[in-house]
Amino acid sequence: MIQVISFYLFASILIASAAMVIFARNPVHSVLWLIVAFFNAAGLMVLIGAEFIAMLLVIVYVGAVAVLFLFVVMMLDIDFAELRAGFVKNVPLGLLLAVVLVAELILGVGAYRAGAVKLGIPEAGPATVSDRVPNIEAIGNLLYSKYIFLFESAGLILLVAMVGAIVLTHRRSHGTKGQNINSQNMRRPQDATRNVNQPVGQGVEL
């Protein structure tokens, strides 16, 4: 009984928050509703036994992607009047995409009711996982045994990409001042500040 109540609770909040992501006028509020949708989707994943996917939703999507969206939206100087004007201009394209998505949903429901797709049954072997083994443990055993070299290669590629992004970011471009760390460390306090007895009624000399 508690599983049914939890499912309907998570599902209803997920649908409501997903709708608020679309209909919220403030982009910051949209991102906050998106975070709520991710949390409730993680709850649904826990109910079906996919705790690894639930953990990915919370750590990756909520902890990284959604928070990154939130900071980007909050730091940008968004002109809401121009944003609404662009929304009105793109209404026909949005309606066309909505019609296509609804048609795909109807087609998918019709195909599901016509009969489930019969997938191949895996043969009993070393890849077969027992139902008693948790989802995360099964993925970890497979990832760090059979696919260990691919996993390390992916980590190495991500490390190279991160180093490349840092190098491109710190590249000195034309017209910008570079940072001289030695001069900053050797600067004396008396050279950094100046005490001025400013007379009353006069401006500040810069």
Side-chain angles (χ1 to χ4, degrees):
M1 186 63 183
I2 186 64
Q3 291 86 355
V4 177
I5 296 176
S6 302
F7 171 78
Y8 282 109
L9 178 63
F10 288 140
S12 59
I13 297 177
L14 174 60
I15 295 173
S17 57
M20 291 302 299
V21 171
I22 301 172
F23 293 108
R25 294 182 177 271
N26 194 330
V28 177
H29 296 167
S30 296
V31 178
L32 293 176
W33 283 114
L34 182 63
I35 293 175
V36 175
F38 283 149
F39 268 112
N40 287 274
L44 291 176
M45 293 298 107
V46 171
L47 288 179
I48 64 175
E51 62 273 7
F52 180 74
I53 300 178
M55 182 182 65
L56 288 181
L57 281 172
V58 174
I59 295 177
V60 178
Y61 285 91
V62 177
V65 178
V67 175
L68 177 63
F69 287 167
L70 183 61
F71 276 103
V72 169
V73 170
M74 292 177 66
M75 287 188 296
L76 290 179
D77 188 12
I78 300 176
D79 188 1
F80 291 99
E82 184 180 356
L83 187 65
R84 294 189 182 95
F87 174 77
V88 174
K89 182 178 63 177
N90 295 322
V91 165
L93 179 60
L95 292 177
L96 178 62
L97 292 176
V99 170
V100 172
L101 292 176
V102 170
E104 290 181 350
L105 288 175
I106 295 174
L107 181 62
V109 172
Y112 176 76
R113 292 182 176 178
V117 179
K118 295 182 180 179
L119 301 176
I121 301 174
E123 297 180 356
T128 305
V129 181
S130 176
D131 295 335
R132 300 178 181 178
V133 179
N135 193 4
I136 298 178
E137 183 178 351
I139 294 176
N141 291 332
L142 189 62
L143 192 63
Y144 290 103
S145 59
K146 184 177 180 180
Y147 299 103
I148 180 63
F149 294 109
L150 296 177
F151 182 74
E152 291 182 350
S153 301
L156 183 62
I157 293 172
L158 291 176
L159 177 62
V160 172
M162 183 180 65
V163 172
I166 294 173
V167 170
L168 292 177
T169 303
H170 287 277
R171 178 181 295 177
R172 184 174 299 178
S173 59
H174 180 70
T176 58
K177 293 182 179 180
Q179 182 181 13
N180 192 343
I181 300 177
N182 292 328
S183 63
Q184 292 179 357
N185 292 332
M186 297 176 62
R187 186 175 62 174
R188 299 179 300 174
Q190 54 268 27
D191 297 334
T193 59
R194 184 180 60 166
N195 295 327
V196 177
N197 188 9
Q198 183 65 29
V200 179
Q202 298 183 9
V204 179
E205 181 183 356
L206 300 177

